[in-house]
Amino acid sequence: MEERYNPSAVEPKWQEYWNKNQLFKVDEDPSREKYYLLEMFPYPSGKIHIGHVRNYTIGDVVVRYKRMKGFNVIHPMGWDAFGMPAENAAIDNNTHPAAWTYDNIRAMRAQLKKMGFSYDWDREIATCRPEYYRWEQWLFLKMLEKGMAYRKESYVNWCEKCQTVLANEQVEQDKCWRCSQVVQQKKLWQWFFKITDYAEDLLVHCDKLPGWPDKVTVMQKNWIGKSVGAELKFAIDGKDETLDVFTTRPDTIFGATFMCLAPEHPLVESLSGGTDQEAKVAAFVDKVSKQERSADGIEKYEKEGVFTGAYCINPATGNKIPIYTANFVLMGYGTGAIMSVPAGDQRDFDFARKYGLDIRVVVQPEGEPLDPETMTEAFAGRGTMVNSGRFDGMDSKEAIEVMTDWLDKEGHGKKAVSYRLRDWGISRQRYWGTPIPVIHCPACGVVPVPETDLPIALPEDANLLEKGGSPLPTLDYFAKTTCPACGREDARRDTDTMDTFVESSWYYLRYCSPRFDQGMFDPEAVKYWAPVDQYIGGVEHAVLHLLYSRYFMRVLNTLGFIDFKEPFTRLLTQGMVCKETMTCPEHGFLFPEQAERDGETLACTMCEKEVEVGRVIKMSKSKKNVVDPNELLEKYGADVTRLFCLFAAPPERDLEWSEDGVEGSNRFVNRVWRLAIACMESISGVSPYSGAAAGLTSSDAKALYIKANQTIQKVSQDIDKSFHFNTAISAVMELVNAMYGVDLDKADDELKSVLLFCLESVLLLLSPILPHFCEELFEKMGHKGSVLEQAWPDFREDSLKTDEVLVVVQVNGKLRSKFTIGAGEGEEAIKAVALADEKIIKHVQDKPVRKVIVIRKKQTLVNIVV
């Protein structure tokens, strides 16, 4: 037998065996308990990175464990294949997004198979395929029919040079991330999903997801952003209309001395039209349209605004107050209008001081009274009502409800709830995405595509326009069509495509029946498999993808297609893979292979200058602190790579990449290999021991057997309950060390039978982590079939506790020796053995023993004071 594990020979062998015997293929089986594990599917970028390897290894260990525990496990894989990255890559590489995507899928599928992941490849999907997105289009039509989808004009980030909408994340310092052109706010017709209809339900159920990390549910709660307050009506002076405002502080309405509107507010243009302020307002709105318009973005700019030329009436005071448009007001919060109370809000205070606006104190704190003339900052706390008519003298917190009721009675407002969450804009002026299935007819308006015409296929032979503009509006064979309602031949298809988050919001249901052609999914298959029992992915998806998925399940539940609301019962957000950066003064960031050790320092391989080693940060292509999984597979094989990813850190923590750590994992694998070979060569004619520890006569055999049962218990608990694979692996390492302590040449048959039990247990326990390695040794031991088809080992309750205890001995507080003694021995016997220990005699010498202290807890401690 080979002296070392040879992954290049072993791993392809077992991958072929698994594939040939279809060990990962599953079907519904009502007689068995199901388990659905899913890792977030990847974008087909061309190659998997080490973060993928870690993520998928975590899932694969749990899947293999659950299979051995008897569960009917579904573990699918697919591709989040639409989106802007493919278009950008196609531009950079002078190819087509479709060709780029399908080539990458082939390459990444081969990489994943080389890692030995136990995917049911018969369930593979790619979201760019018409057989997938036709059902997305079908659901869009159902949502449109029920009023869950609608179209309106909305402001978007627009790059004039690239002729496209940009996500907030693609705006860098107010400029397009690709061409550095200044980004503008542009009003476009957009399609929206009414996620706000489910805001309260999504919020409430954040507290009903016990299997989710708190940090994720907190992020979702903050994103939904519920605020309880009042919606107030301010009559616009000289007009028969009102300005609606949401506020959490209706108690301060007497202090509202001006109004501020978001520049995007629909009333800004009409209020300023025909006034002396019209040109100034238009210029200001244009200026703000070039700024970043997000909650974080507005903090980068000085607070400024322009008077619109119009006034409204404060319903509490009857005073006429000016209406401004200001850059610190967002259309996405409340109604896009705020009543400004400068004495109670710092931004309003700064704005009032800047433009010479009135400040009226309506809440006085304890102590020295506030004076509007001398105030240096706003007071936003709790106090006593003043300058508020009948409400003077009330506690401000108590006044909130009383004043809301009064405003409601007077017809000026009502109690209200506002959410930060806005409806989901799904329109993208991009090519590589799912076409929106509607037709625009000059006579009929927006007309849904008949279901019988689905899918509306994306033309995959279309060429991108210059700078990535969508060709769809220019393709007459796609855009021109006949109105299905009236028959007009000058109708046009909608040439926008859907946000790629739409595809990823329901893909996990499609896995349940990926070839089903009568609907989005087979209802019976989904009823058996869904929801997902364990979902694994990065915390960066905490809000968008995970929130949209929760929303989609509510839509399907409302439409009667499923009987549950939550897509993922348990969620694990794994940490990042990190590595130090290396920088050359001439060549900048270096890849690891571009820096070679030169004595005590590192030198650049291109110029031989000294390399500076930087901080340990998340692996990034731009920083070049990356590790190519292909190189790891070539040098160490899949199993060693898997072992390091699991052993270096708990899955929810960041993993710091270490070449020494990979080498350590490789040494352990070969240490187990050598132990297994030695045992197989020395042990024959005995069977693995399976009785109780009490049935063993040898103390060595008994201790080893108990250790094995304790290890089985520990590994089972660590995988099943906490996913702490690192401590599970440590437990197996301890057992391997104990096995190495046996002298095979002197071992009797009883001890050999225990050793055989230990070896089989080690292989079964490690098989989810090192599947190829364990399959090979399991076969060499004479077993037939696959380890995966074996039952997970059970520990014996009667063989977990030893009848001996470990005693740790200190001399003057310093550890000097250890020994074991019968669990039933008393303190005097323990003292006697400790004082007679050769190591202790050496350290005590002829010094008088002043005191011997025995402390008996989980382990026994003896402290000898001399």
Side-chain angles (χ1 to χ4, degrees):
M1 293 187 188
E2 293 190 22
E3 292 184 1
R4 295 181 61 83
Y5 174 57
N6 183 3
S8 62
V10 172
E11 292 179 356
K13 166 188 170 182
W14 287 103
Q15 289 163 14
E16 183 181 353
Y17 176 90
W18 297 330
N19 183 55
K20 181 179 178 181
N21 291 276
Q22 296 189 312
L23 290 188
F24 308 143
K25 181 177 173 58
V26 291
D27 295 299
E28 298 87 65
D29 183 353
S31 67
R32 297 173 63 196
E33 185 176 355
K34 67 91 179 180
Y35 188 81
Y36 188 171
L37 185 139
L38 184 63
E39 304 96 2
M40 294 180 185
F41 65 168
Y43 160 70
S45 60
K47 59 171 64 176
I48 60 172
H49 55 68
I50 203 67
H52 287 132
V53 172
R54 186 189 191 198
N55 186 9
Y56 303 150
T57 299
I58 291 167
D60 197 55
V61 171
V62 179
V63 163
R64 289 173 177 273
Y65 168 77
K66 288 290 185 179
R67 281 198 174 112
M68 294 173 74
K69 292 289 284 186
F71 287 83
N72 192 27
V73 182
I74 183 173
H75 189 208
M77 175 50 71
W79 314 97
D80 191 8
F82 269 147
M84 193 181 293
E87 292 189 22
N88 297 334
I91 294 168
D92 293 341
N93 293 275
N94 195 27
T95 186
H96 192 278
W100 173 265
T101 299
Y102 295 131
D103 285 347
N104 288 350
I105 286 174
R106 282 189 287 271
M108 292 178 71
R109 184 192 301 119
Q111 285 181 298
L112 293 177
K113 288 185 175 181
K114 285 185 70 175
M115 284 301 303
F117 297 133
S118 57
Y119 294 123
D120 181 354
W121 286 104
D122 288 349
R123 296 178 181 270
E124 181 184 11
I125 60 173
T127 60
C128 62
R129 300 297 301 164
E131 58 267 25
Y132 180 85
Y133 64 72
R134 72 169 290 191
W135 299 112
E136 192 169 299
Q137 294 173 333
W138 176 84
L139 181 62
F140 178 96
L141 296 178
K142 295 299 179 186
M143 293 173 71
L144 186 61
E145 180 185 317
K146 297 294 184 182
M148 295 175 167
Y150 65 93
R151 189 170 180 258
K152 72 170 183 179
E153 279 191 295
S154 174
Y155 282 93
V156 294
N157 298 315
W158 179 261
C159 176
E160 185 65 27
K161 188 174 181 180
C162 294
Q163 286 291 295
T164 186
V165 170
L166 301 175
N168 286 336
E169 295 78 12
Q170 295 162 333
V171 179
E172 298 175 350
Q173 296 180 333
D174 308 328
K175 296 178 181 179
C176 172
W177 67 291
R178 186 189 300 118
C179 72
S180 298
Q181 180 89 2
V182 173
V183 171
Q184 299 177 343
Q185 292 292 301
K186 185 174 182 179
K187 207 170 189 180
L188 293 177
W189 282 95
Q190 302 278 288
W191 284 98
F192 290 84
F193 286 160
K194 293 185 71 175
I195 189 174
T196 52
D197 283 353
Y198 295 92
E200 183 65 20
D201 195 56
L202 288 165
L203 182 66
V204 168
H205 279 78
C206 282
D207 292 325
K208 299 178 181 180
L209 297 169
W212 284 41
D214 289 342
K215 62 183 176 183
V216 175
T217 54
V218 167
M219 289 171 73
Q220 291 210 359
K221 287 178 183 179
N222 292 338
W223 188 263
I224 296 167
K226 181 178 182 179
S227 298
V228 178
E231 189 174 286
L232 308 180
K233 295 181 180 296
F234 287 69
I236 299 175
D237 187 45
K239 293 180 181 288
D240 188 23
E241 57 184 318
T242 61
L243 191 53
D244 296 336
V245 173
F246 174 81
T247 177
T248 59
R249 293 293 303 274
D251 56 310
T252 64
I253 188 170
F254 281 86
T257 58
F258 59 98
M259 183 76 67
C260 282
L261 306 182
E264 303 89 356
H265 197 289
L267 284 177
V268 169
E269 184 177 354
S270 62
L271 290 176
S272 61
T275 72
D276 294 341
Q277 294 295 110
E278 183 174 7
K280 290 182 180 179
V281 169
F284 178 75
V285 170
D286 181 64
K287 175 185 177 181
V288 175
S289 75
K290 297 177 174 65
Q291 297 178 353
E292 188 177 342
R293 301 291 290 156
S294 65
D296 292 331
I298 61 173
E299 297 301 325
K300 301 175 183 177
Y301 307 101
E302 179 185 353
K303 307 298 180 285
E304 57 183 352
V306 173
F307 176 46
T308 64
Y311 295 84
C312 62
I313 308 301
N314 184 321
T317 65
N319 294 339
K320 190 164 67 170
I321 62 176
I323 303 173
Y324 278 72
T325 178
N327 66 347
F328 62 85
V329 184
L330 293 172
M331 196 63 211
Y333 177 76
T335 63
I338 61 172
M339 67 173 202
S340 296
V341 184
D345 180 272
Q346 191 60 42
R347 286 191 303 186
D348 294 347
F349 181 86
D350 295 339
F351 194 87
R353 285 281 192 250
K354 182 172 183 175
Y355 294 103
L357 299 168
D358 290 342
I359 298 176
R360 177 180 174 132
V361 175
V362 291
V363 179
Q364 283 283 9
E366 288 187 15
E368 186 176 346
L370 297 176
D371 181 351
E373 299 299 324
T374 59
M375 288 176 67
T376 58
E377 61 182 5
F379 172 69
R382 185 173 179 175
T384 303
M385 302 298 299
V386 295
N387 299 320
S388 299
R390 72 176 74 179
F391 306 104
D392 284 356
M394 288 189 68
D395 177 83
S396 60
K397 186 174 183 180
E398 295 173 0
I400 291 176
E401 186 167 357
V402 175
M403 293 178 71
T404 301
D405 291 341
W406 171 69
L407 288 164
D408 190 1
K409 185 178 179 181
E410 296 295 321
H412 299 311
K414 61 182 179 180
K415 292 180 179 178
V417 173
S418 179
Y419 297 93
R420 179 175 179 262
L421 180 69
R422 315 315 287 176
D423 282 339
W424 177 9
I426 65 157
S427 296
R428 297 292 180 268
Q429 290 68 39
R430 306 293 304 186
Y431 160 66
W432 192 238
T434 298
I436 295 175
V438 296
I439 292 169
H440 299 277
C441 173
C444 306
V446 175
V447 181
V449 168
E451 289 183 19
T452 53
D453 289 353
L454 298 180
I456 303 303
L458 183 73
E460 292 193 0
D461 58 348
N463 293 316
L464 292 176
L465 301 183
E466 185 180 358
K467 294 297 181 182
S470 173
L472 297 181
T474 69
L475 300 177
D476 286 346
Y477 69 87
F478 176 81
K480 287 186 175 181
T481 190
T482 301
C483 174
C486 70
R488 284 187 60 152
E489 296 183 354
D490 57 347
R492 291 182 66 83
R493 296 193 187 281
D494 198 309
T495 54
D496 284 351
T497 54
M498 294 191 206
D499 181 2
T500 53
F501 279 112
V502 177
E503 281 89 68
S504 60
S505 293
W506 69 281
Y507 75 106
Y508 42 88
L509 296 187
R510 187 65 181 170
Y511 279 140
C512 297
S513 50
R515 310 295 169 247
F516 189 67
D517 61 1
Q518 302 301 308
M520 292 180 74
F521 44 77
D522 181 345
E524 291 303 312
V526 165
K527 191 173 183 179
Y528 177 77
W529 290 116
V532 175
D533 294 287
Q534 181 68 61
Y535 200 36
I536 302 174
V539 74
E540 66 270 18
H541 301 289
V543 174
L544 295 175
H545 164 56
L546 291 172
L547 188 64
Y548 291 154
S549 295
R550 295 182 63 216
Y551 161 63
F552 250 54
M553 294 307 97
R554 281 156 173 77
V555 169
L556 292 172
N557 180 270
T558 299
L559 295 174
F561 299 136
I562 59 175
D563 60 2
F564 56 92
K565 289 183 177 181
E566 295 297 342
F568 315 118
T569 303
R570 294 183 64 187
L571 172 68
L572 172 67
T573 53
Q574 88 280 356
M576 299 180 293
V577 182
C578 304
K579 195 178 189 303
E580 74 278 358
T581 59
M582 289 183 286
T583 312
C584 168
E586 181 176 339
H587 296 97
F589 288 113
L590 301 178
F591 289 109
E593 62 271 17
Q594 293 175 322
E596 289 185 348
R597 185 156 297 284
D598 182 13
E600 296 297 315
T601 62
L602 290 171
C604 175
T605 57
M606 295 174 282
C607 65
E608 297 185 355
K609 290 183 180 178
E610 185 175 340
V611 170
E612 180 183 350
V613 178
R615 294 185 302 112
V616 174
I617 60 173
K618 176 186 176 182
M619 284 190 180
S620 163
K621 290 180 182 177
S622 63
K623 300 291 191 296
K624 298 187 178 181
N625 61 333
V626 293
V627 175
D628 185 354
N630 286 333
E631 294 179 6
L632 291 169
L633 289 173
E634 188 71 26
K635 184 174 181 180
Y636 296 105
D639 281 357
V640 170
T641 304
R642 289 166 62 113
L643 179 64
F644 173 76
C645 287
L646 296 168
F647 184 57
E652 71 278 4
R653 301 282 297 276
D654 289 350
L655 182 155
E656 183 176 339
W657 189 261
S658 162
E659 190 69 29
D660 289 342
V662 182
E663 284 288 355
S665 296
N666 190 45
R667 285 195 298 273
F668 172 70
V669 165
N670 281 288
R671 180 172 164 81
V672 176
W673 180 272
R674 290 191 300 272
L675 175 65
I677 299 303
C679 287
M680 282 185 266
E681 290 175 347
S682 301
I683 300 173
S684 61
V686 297
S687 300
Y689 186 73
S690 59
L696 294 166
T697 57
S698 160
S699 60
D700 288 344
K702 186 181 294 184
L704 186 60
Y705 188 66
I706 289 171
K707 181 67 175 177
N709 278 275
Q710 291 172 339
T711 303
I712 294 169
Q713 182 188 43
K714 171 69 173 169
V715 173
S716 302
Q717 290 176 344
D718 284 349
I719 294 178
D720 207 22
K721 295 181 180 179
S722 62
F723 291 177
H724 282 182
F725 311 111
N726 57 326
T727 55
I729 294 166
S730 291
V732 177
M733 288 178 171
E734 289 182 14
L735 177 57
V736 170
N737 288 340
M739 293 169 68
Y740 261 102
V742 175
D743 187 338
L744 287 169
D745 293 333
K746 297 178 180 179
D748 58 15
D749 284 351
E750 182 184 70
L751 185 52
K752 287 181 177 179
S753 70
V754 170
L755 266 174
L756 204 55
F757 169 80
C758 291
L759 180 59
E760 289 193 353
S761 297
V762 164
L763 296 182
L764 292 172
L765 295 175
L766 288 177
S767 65
I769 298 162
L770 306 170
H772 313 84
F773 173 87
C774 293
E775 290 276 25
E776 183 71 10
L777 287 178
F778 198 69
E779 181 187 62
K780 288 182 181 300
M781 290 184 71
H783 296 289
K784 302 296 183 183
S786 169
V787 173
L788 195 61
E789 296 171 306
Q790 306 302 309
W792 185 256
D794 288 324
F795 58 87
R796 291 185 63 111
E797 291 282 356
D798 60 7
S799 301
L800 292 175
K801 293 182 180 180
T802 178
D803 53 7
E804 292 186 332
V805 294
L806 177 67
V807 180
V808 175
V809 187
Q810 296 177 339
V811 176
N812 289 345
K814 293 184 178 180
L815 177 63
R816 296 306 186 188
S817 186
K818 297 178 183 178
F819 62 84
T820 57
I821 195 170
E825 296 291 347
E827 284 192 13
E828 293 305 316
I830 293 172
K831 290 180 182 179
V833 174
L835 291 169
D837 187 286
E838 289 184 6
K839 293 178 182 178
I840 300 303
I841 293 171
K842 176 182 174 183
H843 283 95
V844 172
Q845 297 178 348
D846 57 354
K847 299 170 188 173
V849 175
R850 293 192 290 165
K851 190 185 297 184
V852 179
I853 304 168
V854 178
I855 301 173
R856 307 185 79 163
K857 291 186 176 179
K858 288 186 177 180
Q859 68 178 19
T860 300
L861 172 67
V862 176
N863 189 17
I864 300 171
V865 182
V866 297

